Amino acid sequence: MTALNVHEFLRDHIRTVPDWPAPGVQFRDITPLLQDPRVFRVLIDAFVHRYMDPVLRPDVVAGLDARGFILGAVVAYELGLGFVPIRKKGKLPFTTVEETYELEYGSATVELHTDAVRPGQRVLLIDDLIATGGTMMAGKKLLEKLGATVMEGAAIVDLPELGGSTRIRSSGLALFTLVEFEGH
């Protein structure tokens, strides 16, 4: 399967749910990608093959709560690397650092254990979707507070009209996504 075919194949398995969670929003649901083992394998392989390249290979994979856990943990396992969860506030039991960021409808806070990464480690930061970019930027800031280098952000879906991918790239973080959808 060529790269273009992979992107189209994955795009064809993303469900659009109109008017959820609010009127006018076209929610891009990735759960069909996870339900079919063949489709899930194609999805994971698209990330794994990219990060097997020695130039792009991270030291550790970090995933953003919650769908970034699904992707990040499997990608880390396939690459033979450790996995770091970045959780919503109040979910981690040990000493944490936190970062608050703005959402379309308010704000949120994410946390990371203080011993999750070591200074100088190269981290791949992964999530399911890039909308406004707030979650990924907060994750990047957390990892950098601990001295790690976020070498790239990755996601399945980019919604470029919401400006997140532009914001992320403007911050100096490289971003890799598999599928784009226009609109919200």
Side-chain angles (χ1 to χ4, degrees), residues 120-163:
Q121 278 191 306
R122 290 170 36 94
V123 181
L124 167 62
L125 180 57
I126 195 164
D127 204 358
D128 66 322
L129 183 137
I130 304 297
T132 63
T135 309
M136 186 156 290
M137 292 300 298
K140 176 182 183 288
K141 289 176 186 174
L142 281 176
L143 292 159
E144 289 173 345
K145 281 182 184 179
L146 299 178
T149 300
V150 181
M151 40 78 64
E152 190 161 77
I156 302 167
V157 176
D158 180 18
L159 303 175
E161 288 181 26
L162 295 178

mmCIF file of all heavy atoms in Angstrom, residues 120-163:
data_model
loop_
_atom_site.group_PDB
_atom_site.id
_atom_site.type_symbol
_atom_site.label_atom_id
_atom_site.label_comp_id
_atom_site.label_asym_id
_atom_site.label_seq_id
_atom_site.Cartn_x
_atom_site.Cartn_y
_atom_site.Cartn_z
ATOM 1 N N GLY A 120 17.205 15.747 28.267
ATOM 2 C CA GLY A 120 17.876 15.353 27.040
ATOM 3 C C GLY A 120 17.194 14.250 26.261
ATOM 4 O O GLY A 120 17.554 14.004 25.101
ATOM 5 N N GLN A 121 16.217 13.564 26.852
ATOM 6 C CA GLN A 121 15.539 12.511 26.105
ATOM 7 C C GLN A 121 14.743 13.110 24.953
ATOM 8 O O GLN A 121 14.136 14.165 25.089
ATOM 9 C CB GLN A 121 14.591 11.708 27.003
ATOM 10 C CG GLN A 121 15.279 10.646 27.802
ATOM 11 C CD GLN A 121 14.273 9.714 28.470
ATOM 12 O OE1 GLN A 121 13.387 10.152 29.185
ATOM 13 N NE2 GLN A 121 14.440 8.416 28.242
ATOM 14 N N ARG A 122 14.754 12.388 23.823
ATOM 15 C CA ARG A 122 13.974 12.771 22.640
ATOM 16 C C ARG A 122 12.608 12.096 22.741
ATOM 17 O O ARG A 122 12.530 10.876 22.855
ATOM 18 C CB ARG A 122 14.692 12.317 21.371
ATOM 19 C CG ARG A 122 15.952 13.103 21.081
ATOM 20 C CD ARG A 122 16.780 12.484 19.951
ATOM 21 N NE ARG A 122 16.028 11.890 18.861
ATOM 22 C CZ ARG A 122 15.693 12.518 17.732
ATOM 23 N NH1 ARG A 122 16.051 13.771 17.539
ATOM 24 N NH2 ARG A 122 15.020 11.885 16.784
ATOM 25 N N VAL A 123 11.560 12.911 22.707
ATOM 26 C CA VAL A 123 10.209 12.398 22.928
ATOM 27 C C VAL A 123 9.341 12.604 21.685
ATOM 28 O O VAL A 123 9.323 13.689 21.106
ATOM 29 C CB VAL A 123 9.545 13.106 24.127
ATOM 30 C CG1 VAL A 123 8.143 12.562 24.381
ATOM 31 C CG2 VAL A 123 10.399 12.985 25.381
ATOM 32 N N LEU A 124 8.614 11.552 21.317
ATOM 33 C CA LEU A 124 7.549 11.643 20.334
ATOM 34 C C LEU A 124 6.264 11.861 21.123
ATOM 35 O O LEU A 124 5.936 11.070 22.000
ATOM 36 C CB LEU A 124 7.451 10.348 19.525
ATOM 37 C CG LEU A 124 6.182 10.186 18.675
ATOM 38 C CD1 LEU A 124 6.086 11.286 17.625
ATOM 39 C CD2 LEU A 124 6.149 8.798 18.043
ATOM 40 N N LEU A 125 5.562 12.946 20.827
ATOM 41 C CA LEU A 125 4.309 13.288 21.510
ATOM 42 C C LEU A 125 3.148 12.968 20.572
ATOM 43 O O LEU A 125 3.090 13.507 19.467
ATOM 44 C CB LEU A 125 4.315 14.768 21.889
ATOM 45 C CG LEU A 125 3.093 15.311 22.614
ATOM 46 C CD1 LEU A 125 2.820 14.544 23.901
ATOM 47 C CD2 LEU A 125 3.295 16.796 22.904
ATOM 48 N N ILE A 126 2.234 12.101 21.003
ATOM 49 C CA ILE A 126 1.205 11.603 20.102
ATOM 50 C C ILE A 126 -0.206 11.794 20.671
ATOM 51 O O ILE A 126 -0.423 11.665 21.862
ATOM 52 C CB ILE A 126 1.487 10.118 19.750
ATOM 53 C CG1 ILE A 126 0.693 9.645 18.550
ATOM 54 C CG2 ILE A 126 1.303 9.222 20.947
ATOM 55 C CD1 ILE A 126 1.220 8.350 17.945
ATOM 56 N N ASP A 127 -1.128 12.129 19.772
ATOM 57 C CA ASP A 127 -2.539 12.271 20.112
ATOM 58 C C ASP A 127 -3.361 11.806 18.913
ATOM 59 O O ASP A 127 -2.812 11.489 17.862
ATOM 60 C CB ASP A 127 -2.860 13.724 20.469
ATOM 61 C CG ASP A 127 -4.082 13.862 21.369
ATOM 62 O OD1 ASP A 127 -4.721 12.844 21.701
ATOM 63 O OD2 ASP A 127 -4.417 15.004 21.736
ATOM 64 N N ASP A 128 -4.672 11.811 19.062
ATOM 65 C CA ASP A 128 -5.510 11.338 17.959
ATOM 66 C C ASP A 128 -5.807 12.423 16.940
ATOM 67 O O ASP A 128 -5.904 12.157 15.759
ATOM 68 C CB ASP A 128 -6.816 10.732 18.487
ATOM 69 C CG ASP A 128 -7.716 11.752 19.151
ATOM 70 O OD1 ASP A 128 -7.204 12.648 19.852
ATOM 71 O OD2 ASP A 128 -8.949 11.656 18.999
ATOM 72 N N LEU A 129 -5.947 13.683 17.404
ATOM 73 C CA LEU A 129 -6.461 14.729 16.529
ATOM 74 C C LEU A 129 -5.879 16.088 16.917
ATOM 75 O O LEU A 129 -5.709 16.366 18.097
ATOM 76 C CB LEU A 129 -7.991 14.752 16.672
ATOM 77 C CG LEU A 129 -8.755 15.726 15.805
ATOM 78 C CD1 LEU A 129 -9.998 15.032 15.248
ATOM 79 C CD2 LEU A 129 -9.190 16.924 16.628
ATOM 80 N N ILE A 130 -5.608 16.910 15.914
ATOM 81 C CA ILE A 130 -5.167 18.277 16.140
ATOM 82 C C ILE A 130 -6.303 19.206 15.749
ATOM 83 O O ILE A 130 -6.705 19.257 14.587
ATOM 84 C CB ILE A 130 -3.915 18.637 15.301
ATOM 85 C CG1 ILE A 130 -2.770 17.667 15.570
ATOM 86 C CG2 ILE A 130 -3.499 20.085 15.545
ATOM 87 C CD1 ILE A 130 -2.232 17.662 16.981
ATOM 88 N N ALA A 131 -6.840 19.927 16.716
ATOM 89 C CA ALA A 131 -7.889 20.932 16.462
ATOM 90 C C ALA A 131 -7.255 22.307 16.663
ATOM 91 O O ALA A 131 -6.634 22.833 15.749
ATOM 92 C CB ALA A 131 -9.086 20.697 17.368
ATOM 93 N N THR A 132 -7.330 22.845 17.866
ATOM 94 C CA THR A 132 -6.728 24.161 18.140
ATOM 95 C C THR A 132 -5.258 24.053 18.531
ATOM 96 O O THR A 132 -4.562 25.058 18.597
ATOM 97 C CB THR A 132 -7.484 24.894 19.267
ATOM 98 O OG1 THR A 132 -7.358 24.136 20.470
ATOM 99 C CG2 THR A 132 -8.950 25.086 18.904
ATOM 100 N N GLY A 133 -4.801 22.839 18.818
ATOM 101 C CA GLY A 133 -3.395 22.625 19.174
ATOM 102 C C GLY A 133 -3.085 22.798 20.643
ATOM 103 O O GLY A 133 -1.957 22.565 21.067
ATOM 104 N N GLY A 134 -4.068 23.182 21.445
ATOM 105 C CA GLY A 134 -3.831 23.458 22.858
ATOM 106 C C GLY A 134 -3.318 22.280 23.652
ATOM 107 O O GLY A 134 -2.394 22.417 24.460
ATOM 108 N N THR A 135 -3.883 21.114 23.432
ATOM 109 C CA THR A 135 -3.470 19.936 24.198
ATOM 110 C C THR A 135 -2.034 19.556 23.865
ATOM 111 O O THR A 135 -1.222 19.307 24.760
ATOM 112 C CB THR A 135 -4.411 18.740 23.913
ATOM 113 O OG1 THR A 135 -5.761 19.159 24.089
ATOM 114 C CG2 THR A 135 -4.121 17.584 24.846
ATOM 115 N N MET A 136 -1.691 19.524 22.589
ATOM 116 C CA MET A 136 -0.328 19.152 22.208
ATOM 117 C C MET A 136 0.684 20.191 22.702
ATOM 118 O O MET A 136 1.768 19.829 23.168
ATOM 119 C CB MET A 136 -0.206 18.948 20.708
ATOM 120 C CG MET A 136 1.180 18.414 20.341
ATOM 121 S SD MET A 136 1.258 17.523 18.787
ATOM 122 C CE MET A 136 0.363 16.035 19.160
ATOM 123 N N MET A 137 0.335 21.458 22.617
ATOM 124 C CA MET A 137 1.257 22.496 23.104
ATOM 125 C C MET A 137 1.464 22.373 24.616
ATOM 126 O O MET A 137 2.577 22.551 25.108
ATOM 127 C CB MET A 137 0.728 23.887 22.740
ATOM 128 C CG MET A 137 0.757 24.182 21.254
ATOM 129 S SD MET A 137 2.411 24.107 20.536
ATOM 130 C CE MET A 137 3.206 25.418 21.445
ATOM 131 N N ALA A 138 0.404 22.058 25.361
ATOM 132 C CA ALA A 138 0.530 21.870 26.809
ATOM 133 C C ALA A 138 1.415 20.666 27.111
ATOM 134 O O ALA A 138 2.273 20.721 28.006
ATOM 135 C CB ALA A 138 -0.847 21.701 27.441
ATOM 136 N N GLY A 139 1.242 19.579 26.367
ATOM 137 C CA GLY A 139 2.088 18.405 26.549
ATOM 138 C C GLY A 139 3.546 18.705 26.266
ATOM 139 O O GLY A 139 4.442 18.280 26.996
ATOM 140 N N LYS A 140 3.790 19.452 25.210
ATOM 141 C CA LYS A 140 5.159 19.855 24.848
ATOM 142 C C LYS A 140 5.791 20.656 25.982
ATOM 143 O O LYS A 140 6.922 20.397 26.393
ATOM 144 C CB LYS A 140 5.121 20.673 23.556
ATOM 145 C CG LYS A 140 6.463 21.242 23.102
ATOM 146 C CD LYS A 140 6.274 22.075 21.829
ATOM 147 C CE LYS A 140 7.553 22.619 21.262
ATOM 148 N NZ LYS A 140 8.151 23.694 22.022
ATOM 149 N N LYS A 141 5.043 21.627 26.520
ATOM 150 C CA LYS A 141 5.566 22.456 27.614
ATOM 151 C C LYS A 141 5.889 21.621 28.845
ATOM 152 O O LYS A 141 6.907 21.840 29.497
ATOM 153 C CB LYS A 141 4.571 23.570 27.958
ATOM 154 C CG LYS A 141 4.497 24.641 26.898
ATOM 155 C CD LYS A 141 3.438 25.678 27.238
ATOM 156 C CE LYS A 141 3.267 26.676 26.110
ATOM 157 N NZ LYS A 141 2.150 27.593 26.349
ATOM 158 N N LEU A 142 5.026 20.656 29.172
ATOM 159 C CA LEU A 142 5.286 19.785 30.322
ATOM 160 C C LEU A 142 6.575 19.002 30.140
ATOM 161 O O LEU A 142 7.406 18.929 31.055
ATOM 162 C CB LEU A 142 4.132 18.791 30.510
ATOM 163 C CG LEU A 142 2.880 19.284 31.183
ATOM 164 C CD1 LEU A 142 1.826 18.183 31.197
ATOM 165 C CD2 LEU A 142 3.171 19.756 32.597
ATOM 166 N N LEU A 143 6.732 18.386 28.989
ATOM 167 C CA LEU A 143 7.935 17.589 28.733
ATOM 168 C C LEU A 143 9.187 18.454 28.768
ATOM 169 O O LEU A 143 10.226 18.043 29.304
ATOM 170 C CB LEU A 143 7.794 16.873 27.391
ATOM 171 C CG LEU A 143 6.720 15.771 27.388
ATOM 172 C CD1 LEU A 143 6.259 15.462 25.972
ATOM 173 C CD2 LEU A 143 7.244 14.516 28.085
ATOM 174 N N GLU A 144 9.088 19.663 28.231
ATOM 175 C CA GLU A 144 10.235 20.580 28.240
ATOM 176 C C GLU A 144 10.553 21.072 29.647
ATOM 177 O O GLU A 144 11.717 21.318 29.961
ATOM 178 C CB GLU A 144 9.976 21.742 27.285
ATOM 179 C CG GLU A 144 10.023 21.298 25.829
ATOM 180 C CD GLU A 144 9.615 22.365 24.836
ATOM 181 O OE1 GLU A 144 9.016 23.391 25.250
ATOM 182 O OE2 GLU A 144 9.888 22.174 23.630
ATOM 183 N N LYS A 145 9.548 21.216 30.512
ATOM 184 C CA LYS A 145 9.801 21.600 31.912
ATOM 185 C C LYS A 145 10.722 20.600 32.593
ATOM 186 O O LYS A 145 11.473 20.956 33.501
ATOM 187 C CB LYS A 145 8.486 21.659 32.712
ATOM 188 C CG LYS A 145 7.672 22.899 32.516
ATOM 189 C CD LYS A 145 6.416 22.853 33.390
ATOM 190 C CE LYS A 145 5.522 24.040 33.131
ATOM 191 N NZ LYS A 145 4.288 24.016 33.942
ATOM 192 N N LEU A 146 10.643 19.340 32.163
ATOM 193 C CA LEU A 146 11.473 18.285 32.742
ATOM 194 C C LEU A 146 12.782 18.089 31.987
ATOM 195 O O LEU A 146 13.546 17.179 32.288
ATOM 196 C CB LEU A 146 10.690 16.971 32.795
ATOM 197 C CG LEU A 146 9.415 17.012 33.652
ATOM 198 C CD1 LEU A 146 8.703 15.670 33.601
ATOM 199 C CD2 LEU A 146 9.725 17.410 35.082
ATOM 200 N N GLY A 147 13.040 18.932 30.982
ATOM 201 C CA GLY A 147 14.307 18.898 30.268
ATOM 202 C C GLY A 147 14.335 18.017 29.038
ATOM 203 O O GLY A 147 15.378 17.866 28.407
ATOM 204 N N ALA A 148 13.211 17.418 28.683
ATOM 205 C CA ALA A 148 13.170 16.574 27.480
ATOM 206 C C ALA A 148 13.040 17.447 26.236
ATOM 207 O O ALA A 148 12.669 18.624 26.317
ATOM 208 C CB ALA A 148 11.989 15.606 27.561
ATOM 209 N N THR A 149 13.339 16.864 25.096
ATOM 210 C CA THR A 149 13.175 17.525 23.815
ATOM 211 C C THR A 149 12.057 16.810 23.056
ATOM 212 O O THR A 149 12.161 15.609 22.799
ATOM 213 C CB THR A 149 14.471 17.440 22.981
ATOM 214 O OG1 THR A 149 15.517 18.076 23.707
ATOM 215 C CG2 THR A 149 14.297 18.092 21.622
ATOM 216 N N VAL A 150 11.008 17.537 22.751
ATOM 217 C CA VAL A 150 9.939 16.950 21.944
ATOM 218 C C VAL A 150 10.386 17.083 20.494
ATOM 219 O O VAL A 150 10.438 18.174 19.945
ATOM 220 C CB VAL A 150 8.578 17.647 22.200
ATOM 221 C CG1 VAL A 150 7.489 16.992 21.366
ATOM 222 C CG2 VAL A 150 8.232 17.593 23.683
ATOM 223 N N MET A 151 10.758 15.939 19.907
ATOM 224 C CA MET A 151 11.331 15.952 18.565
ATOM 225 C C MET A 151 10.273 16.018 17.475
ATOM 226 O O MET A 151 10.546 16.502 16.394
ATOM 227 C CB MET A 151 12.278 14.782 18.341
ATOM 228 C CG MET A 151 11.879 13.440 18.918
ATOM 229 S SD MET A 151 10.629 12.493 18.039
ATOM 230 C CE MET A 151 11.405 12.147 16.506
ATOM 231 N N GLU A 152 9.053 15.570 17.795
ATOM 232 C CA GLU A 152 7.959 15.671 16.830
ATOM 233 C C GLU A 152 6.642 15.398 17.538
ATOM 234 O O GLU A 152 6.577 14.627 18.486
ATOM 235 C CB GLU A 152 8.154 14.666 15.679
ATOM 236 C CG GLU A 152 7.193 14.891 14.524
ATOM 237 C CD GLU A 152 7.649 14.230 13.224
ATOM 238 O OE1 GLU A 152 7.499 12.999 13.088
ATOM 239 O OE2 GLU A 152 8.166 14.966 12.351
ATOM 240 N N GLY A 153 5.600 16.049 17.035
ATOM 241 C CA GLY A 153 4.238 15.739 17.437
ATOM 242 C C GLY A 153 3.625 14.908 16.333
ATOM 243 O O GLY A 153 3.960 15.069 15.160
ATOM 244 N N ALA A 154 2.705 14.006 16.700
ATOM 245 C CA ALA A 154 2.060 13.155 15.706
ATOM 246 C C ALA A 154 0.594 12.971 16.080
ATOM 247 O O ALA A 154 0.244 12.926 17.256
ATOM 248 C CB ALA A 154 2.758 11.800 15.633
ATOM 249 N N ALA A 155 -0.244 12.868 15.055
ATOM 250 C CA ALA A 155 -1.671 12.630 15.260
ATOM 251 C C ALA A 155 -2.236 11.955 14.029
ATOM 252 O O ALA A 155 -1.652 12.029 12.944
ATOM 253 C CB ALA A 155 -2.399 13.948 15.522
ATOM 254 N N ILE A 156 -3.380 11.337 14.197
ATOM 255 C CA ILE A 156 -4.057 10.730 13.060
ATOM 256 C C ILE A 156 -4.658 11.821 12.185
ATOM 257 O O ILE A 156 -4.430 11.874 10.996
ATOM 258 C CB ILE A 156 -5.189 9.778 13.518
ATOM 259 C CG1 ILE A 156 -4.650 8.680 14.414
ATOM 260 C CG2 ILE A 156 -5.906 9.193 12.308
ATOM 261 C CD1 ILE A 156 -5.741 7.895 15.144
ATOM 262 N N VAL A 157 -5.444 12.715 12.811
ATOM 263 C CA VAL A 157 -6.257 13.686 12.083
ATOM 264 C C VAL A 157 -5.784 15.109 12.355
ATOM 265 O O VAL A 157 -5.509 15.474 13.495
ATOM 266 C CB VAL A 157 -7.745 13.568 12.493
ATOM 267 C CG1 VAL A 157 -8.596 14.633 11.816
ATOM 268 C CG2 VAL A 157 -8.283 12.176 12.183
ATOM 269 N N ASP A 158 -5.749 15.912 11.297
ATOM 270 C CA ASP A 158 -5.519 17.352 11.402
ATOM 271 C C ASP A 158 -6.773 18.064 10.887
ATOM 272 O O ASP A 158 -7.286 17.716 9.827
ATOM 273 C CB ASP A 158 -4.304 17.766 10.574
ATOM 274 C CG ASP A 158 -4.007 19.258 10.639
ATOM 275 O OD1 ASP A 158 -4.506 19.937 11.571
ATOM 276 O OD2 ASP A 158 -3.275 19.747 9.767
ATOM 277 N N LEU A 159 -7.245 19.032 11.665
ATOM 278 C CA LEU A 159 -8.335 19.911 11.243
ATOM 279 C C LEU A 159 -7.709 21.292 11.017
ATOM 280 O O LEU A 159 -7.754 22.160 11.887
ATOM 281 C CB LEU A 159 -9.433 19.978 12.315
ATOM 282 C CG LEU A 159 -10.058 18.648 12.729
ATOM 283 C CD1 LEU A 159 -11.044 18.846 13.871
ATOM 284 C CD2 LEU A 159 -10.718 17.967 11.545
ATOM 285 N N PRO A 160 -7.084 21.519 9.856
ATOM 286 C CA PRO A 160 -6.279 22.723 9.645
ATOM 287 C C PRO A 160 -7.039 24.034 9.789
ATOM 288 O O PRO A 160 -6.442 25.045 10.191
ATOM 289 C CB PRO A 160 -5.716 22.547 8.239
ATOM 290 C CG PRO A 160 -6.511 21.486 7.596
ATOM 291 C CD PRO A 160 -7.085 20.644 8.684
ATOM 292 N N GLU A 161 -8.334 24.043 9.489
ATOM 293 C CA GLU A 161 -9.096 25.291 9.587
ATOM 294 C C GLU A 161 -9.179 25.818 11.017
ATOM 295 O O GLU A 161 -9.415 27.012 11.227
ATOM 296 C CB GLU A 161 -10.506 25.102 9.028
ATOM 297 C CG GLU A 161 -10.523 24.980 7.516
ATOM 298 C CD GLU A 161 -11.932 24.825 6.965
ATOM 299 O OE1 GLU A 161 -12.898 25.284 7.599
ATOM 300 O OE2 GLU A 161 -12.046 24.232 5.877
ATOM 301 N N LEU A 162 -8.959 24.942 12.018
ATOM 302 C CA LEU A 162 -9.000 25.385 13.412
ATOM 303 C C LEU A 162 -7.669 25.982 13.876
ATOM 304 O O LEU A 162 -7.575 26.490 14.985
ATOM 305 C CB LEU A 162 -9.434 24.236 14.323
ATOM 306 C CG LEU A 162 -10.864 23.747 14.074
ATOM 307 C CD1 LEU A 162 -11.194 22.571 14.982
ATOM 308 C CD2 LEU A 162 -11.868 24.860 14.252
ATOM 309 N N GLY A 163 -6.636 25.890 13.035
ATOM 310 C CA GLY A 163 -5.375 26.583 13.295
ATOM 311 C C GLY A 163 -4.377 25.880 14.180
ATOM 312 O O GLY A 163 -3.275 26.387 14.405
#
